[in-house]
């Protein structure tokens, strides 16, 4: 449990580290921002596939493994069905949460009547920040669920990959909030809140799997599905919206390969 708590704080704290770096580079260009986010997307993609989706298939197959002489195809089919159902359930869950997100203007501390020119900008910025906070919950759950596996090193690799991509996420939310007129203190508090969400998600995932390891294959796929949804629906479109598509694509590949190296040498 101590390791899980330390991991949760590390994963959430990575967002805070990114936020502190964001204050230092608060006027970063779109190109730099897109490259960093794409790298993070690559890291998340590898973590989702290698650390969550594939283990879900393997553990699902082990659960349905046939007795001697039984149908191997049936076991594989049931394992695949469980993994696919979990992945889609995770994606649908994040999609529904996205639709239910309220506009959080009161968090800004900016007088919108006195600064009407900031209203549209703050709306967009806060929705982006809230999207990151929402997506930090399933990412945290993914880190916590990983500890349901016997091999702790796999869980730490997943958590490390999530923490690694949290740093650029924390960086890119600072500049837009400051540009929208928010104070440094309030901006930092909101950044911390996005990290706290991830800590709670990690603990939630860990306790959910601890209650029943039977749900582990589905839970792993669910967490993987949430991450795949975030990558496709939020991160890739954002990084391809400013004319930096090619650089963003290569950055995604670099991030993916970094996680491949983590998996190979630390797994």
């Amino acid at each position: 449990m101590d390791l899980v708590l330390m991991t949760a704080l590390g994963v959430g704290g990575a967002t805070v580290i990114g936020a502190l770096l964001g204050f230092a580079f608060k006027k970063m260009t779109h190109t730099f921002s897109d490259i960093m986010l794409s790298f993070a997307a690559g890291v998340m993609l590898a973590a989702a596939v290698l650390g969550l989706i594939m283990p879900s298939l393997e553990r699902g197959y082990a659960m349905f493994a046939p007795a001697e002489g039984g149908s191997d195809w049936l076991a594989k089919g049931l394992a695949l069905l469980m993994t696919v159902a979990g992945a889609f359930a995770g994606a649908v869950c994040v999609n529904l949460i996205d639709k239910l997100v309220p506009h959080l203007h009161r968090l800004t501390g900016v007088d919108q009547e006195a600064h009407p020119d900031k209203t549209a900008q703050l709306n967009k910025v806060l929705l982006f920040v809230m999207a990151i906070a929402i997506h930090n919950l399933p990412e945290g759950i993914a880190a916590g669920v990983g500890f349901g596996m016997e091999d702790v090193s796999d869980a730490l690799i997943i958590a490390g990959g999530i923490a690694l991509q949290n740093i650029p996420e924390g960086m890119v939310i600072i500049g837009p909030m400051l540009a929208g007129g928010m104070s440094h203190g309030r901006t930092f508090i909101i950044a911390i809140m996005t990290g706290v969400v991830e800590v709670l998600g990690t603990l939630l995932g860990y306790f959910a799997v601890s209650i029943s390891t039977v749900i582990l294959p589905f839970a792993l796929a669910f967490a993987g599905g949430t991450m795949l949804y975030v990558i496709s629906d939020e991160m890739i479109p954002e990084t391809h919206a400013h004319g930096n598509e090619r650089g963003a694509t290569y950055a995604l590949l670099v991030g993916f390969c970094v996680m491949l190296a983590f998996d190979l040498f630390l797994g």
Side-chain angles (χ1 to χ4, degrees):
M1 181 59 198
D2 289 343
L3 180 59
V4 175
L5 183 58
M6 290 176 61
T7 301
L9 294 174
V11 169
T15 301
V16 179
I17 293 173
L20 292 173
L21 292 173
F23 281 109
F25 300 98
K26 57 187 175 183
K27 292 185 179 180
M28 69 178 70
T29 64
H30 268 309
T31 299
F32 181 75
S33 174
D34 290 343
I35 294 299
M36 293 298 293
L37 270 181
S38 291
F39 175 84
V43 168
M44 285 182 64
L45 180 60
V49 175
L50 300 175
L52 296 168
I53 302 296
M54 296 308 297
S56 170
L57 279 174
E58 293 167 3
R59 291 179 178 278
Y61 176 75
M63 180 183 297
F64 298 114
E68 187 174 349
S71 173
D72 188 58
W73 282 98
L74 178 60
K76 289 180 178 179
L78 291 173
L80 178 62
L81 181 62
M82 176 177 285
T83 296
V84 170
F88 271 91
V92 170
C93 181
V94 179
N95 184 209
L96 291 176
I97 292 175
D98 274 345
K99 291 183 179 296
L100 297 175
V101 177
H103 291 261
L104 301 177
H105 309 306
R106 292 194 180 97
L107 288 176
T108 65
V110 176
D111 185 348
Q112 301 213 351
E113 292 184 3
H115 302 278
D117 58 314
K118 300 288 187 183
T119 300
Q121 182 181 359
L122 282 171
N123 287 348
K124 184 176 180 180
V125 169
L126 284 179
L127 286 177
F128 176 63
V129 173
M130 179 50 59
I132 289 178
I134 288 171
H135 299 147
N136 279 353
L137 180 64
E139 287 174 17
I141 290 174
V145 165
F147 281 95
M149 299 183 285
E150 290 86 356
D151 192 344
V152 176
S153 65
D154 286 345
L156 291 176
I157 289 173
I158 295 171
I162 293 172
L164 191 60
Q165 64 86 27
N166 278 347
I167 294 176
E169 278 191 359
M171 290 177 65
V172 300
I173 65 176
I174 297 300
M177 285 193 286
L178 293 177
M182 292 177 61
S183 68
H184 283 67
R186 194 177 293 264
T187 297
F188 187 57
I189 289 173
I190 291 177
I192 291 176
M193 288 170 60
T194 65
V196 169
V197 169
E198 198 139 23
V199 173
L200 296 176
T202 302
L203 297 176
L204 176 62
Y206 171 72
F207 285 120
V209 175
S210 298
I211 293 172
S212 175
T213 55
V214 174
I215 68 171
L216 181 58
F218 183 87
L220 288 169
F222 181 94
T226 62
M227 293 174 72
L228 291 176
Y229 181 93
V230 172
I231 293 165
S232 178
D233 187 66
E234 297 287 341
M235 302 181 80
I236 291 178
E238 174 65 22
T239 59
H240 284 61
H242 311 113
N244 302 311
E245 297 89 345
R246 183 163 298 175
T249 298
Y250 282 114
L252 184 146
L253 287 171
V254 170
F256 188 89
C257 291
V258 166
M259 280 304 294
L260 279 180
F262 269 46
D263 186 68
L264 177 62
F265 292 106
L266 302 179

